[in-house]
Amino acid sequence: MSTQTARIRPFAPADYVALVAASNRTYPDYLWSLEEMRHQDEQFDTSRFFKMRLIAEEDGAIVGSAEASHRPSRFDPDSYVFRLWVVPEWRRRGHGSALHDAVLAALRARHGRVARGATKESMADGTAFLQKRGWKELKRDWESRLTVAGFDFARFAGADERIAQQGIRISTYADELARESDTPRKAFELIDVCRRDVPATDAPTPITFEQWRADWVDAPGFLADGFFVAIDRDGRWLGVSNLEKSLGDKSFIWQGFTGVRPEERGNGIAVALKLRTVEHAQRLGVDHIKTWNDQSNRPMLAINEALGFEKQPAWILFEYLLCP
């Protein structure tokens, strides 16, 4: 790498357009929009949590980026999420190594304990890069995709009747908001309960209603009519499954979060909710739904498998001990 034409520097707001374009060349299956990236940055509370982003630049063009941050919903002051990428045609020129070393040096200066970053098992360059530098595999998440055209709803005949017999109805965030002003609070409370036992490397930590609203309701991809909830006859919210728009690639839609209160699981609620998301995805005209699940989350994987989600190459989470 030529020291005269290449450099590592901090990200600046003027970089957004070029950064999104470079990222999208690197990950064509996971396209960002400018609006999505800006929102994610703007809602991150840097007064409480750490976040840094560096840029690799050569001849005035962005060719790579690396960042590290705390994870607010599972906050450990000494644990950091790590992300690194280099545009394919600019690899093996030292950009990745320079970005990697600069970020880890900054984390060590903060007396960090551990950094964790993921790469897809099919991305041989990424897995080899991390393994060569001492990163160790920690766990794997399945990415799964469901083609929505031609979905056979007849296989699940009786799913709605099963929950109706329990006095449970399916509604949407949009419909409930038209009826009740406390709908956002009910959604927050339900998700806060359901997220606590989702498999993860760090324990869940409290989040505020305002933080949740910024992450969810104010997000560019939020779909009030694609946010399905199961409600009992007493008005208690029991389960949720939502879809989120992909602004960068409108051929698919994200499966956001599916969860049911622990005491209500096994009663068919999750399946009924997920069927509604498939119907909604069809109405939106997308080709498929994308989702992720920890490989240890067998109950949710079993539901997705039954629905027909097809597993893609897994995402491998690697861990690096900053102070071994």
Side-chain angles (χ1 to χ4, degrees):
M1 179 169 62
S2 169
T3 57
Q4 294 181 345
T5 61
R7 63 170 177 156
I8 304 298
R9 63 170 177 81
F11 169 82
D15 295 320
Y16 272 115
V17 172
L19 183 67
V20 168
S23 174
N24 288 347
R25 291 202 305 277
T26 307
Y27 295 109
D29 283 348
Y30 311 97
L31 301 181
W32 278 96
S33 71
L34 181 60
E35 184 181 5
E36 288 168 322
M37 185 177 284
R38 282 188 181 275
H39 172 79
Q40 188 179 89
D41 285 351
E42 289 167 0
Q43 62 82 32
F44 192 91
D45 187 355
T46 54
S47 69
R48 299 173 58 202
F49 308 108
F50 174 79
K51 185 173 185 176
M52 67 174 294
R53 179 182 291 143
L54 298 178
I55 296 298
E57 191 175 59
E58 185 160 342
D59 294 332
I62 291 177
V63 299
S65 176
E67 62 183 80
S69 68
H70 284 135
R71 188 177 179 185
S73 63
R74 294 180 180 271
F75 177 61
D76 175 343
D78 301 318
S79 174
Y80 298 89
V81 178
F82 175 86
R83 300 180 183 89
L84 168 67
W85 54 264
V86 175
V87 176
E89 60 267 28
W90 290 97
R91 291 174 187 169
R92 295 183 175 85
R93 303 189 188 194
H95 299 298
S97 295
L99 287 164
H100 173 274
D101 294 349
V103 170
L104 294 195
L107 298 183
R108 289 194 184 97
R110 292 178 55 82
H111 306 290
R113 175 178 54 85
V114 64
R116 299 188 181 108
T119 187
K120 208 170 185 177
E121 64 180 344
S122 57
M123 298 175 178
D125 284 356
T127 56
F129 179 93
L130 293 175
Q131 290 168 341
K132 180 180 178 180
R133 287 159 179 77
W135 292 70
K136 304 298 182 183
E137 180 175 332
L138 190 61
K139 73 181 186 78
R140 296 189 176 211
D141 293 339
W142 286 120
E143 178 188 339
S144 300
R145 301 180 185 182
L146 177 69
T147 300
V148 299
F151 183 86
D152 185 8
F153 289 97
R155 293 193 300 119
F156 303 93
D160 282 352
E161 181 181 357
R162 180 183 177 188
I163 63 168
Q165 290 173 346
Q166 303 170 59
I168 300 169
R169 64 184 176 90
I170 304 294
S171 184
T172 67
Y173 184 98
D175 287 343
E176 293 307 303
L177 186 62
R179 297 187 186 102
E180 297 186 75
S181 61
D182 62 346
T183 288
R185 290 278 180 181
K186 287 186 174 182
F188 163 67
E189 190 271 337
L190 173 63
I191 291 170
D192 193 44
V193 169
C194 293
R195 74 182 181 91
R196 293 176 188 174
D197 56 359
V198 173
T201 52
D202 292 317
T205 52
I207 59 173
T208 65
F209 170 70
E210 290 73 22
Q211 182 182 341
W212 172 81
R213 184 170 56 190
D215 286 342
W216 286 67
V217 181
D218 296 340
F222 181 72
L223 289 170
D225 58 352
F227 187 113
F228 294 91
V229 292
I231 304 173
D232 70 12
R233 57 173 57 93
D234 296 321
R236 185 167 176 256
W237 288 31
L238 307 181
V240 58
S241 188
N242 78 298
L243 297 172
E244 299 170 3
K245 290 184 293 185
S246 166
L247 276 64
D249 182 352
K250 297 182 181 179
S251 69
F252 75 91
I253 197 161
W254 297 109
Q255 179 84 65
F257 179 77
T258 299
V260 176
R261 291 182 184 274
E263 67 275 16
E264 300 292 342
R265 293 171 188 166
N267 296 326
I269 295 172
V271 171
L273 287 165
K274 298 242 337 172
L275 289 171
R276 297 298 178 91
T277 66
V278 177
E279 290 175 344
H280 195 68
Q282 288 182 337
R283 288 194 293 271
L284 292 173
V286 300
D287 178 76
H288 61 280
I289 300 172
K290 285 185 186 180
T291 190
W292 274 275
N293 299 103
D294 188 297
Q295 290 188 354
S296 67
N297 191 353
R298 283 305 314 165
M300 189 54 63
L301 281 169
I303 291 173
N304 286 340
E305 290 163 358
L307 289 169
F309 278 86
E310 296 182 353
K311 294 186 180 68
Q312 308 297 307
W315 282 83
I316 308 171
L317 183 68
F318 286 91
E319 181 176 79
Y320 187 90
L321 298 180
L322 296 161
C323 300

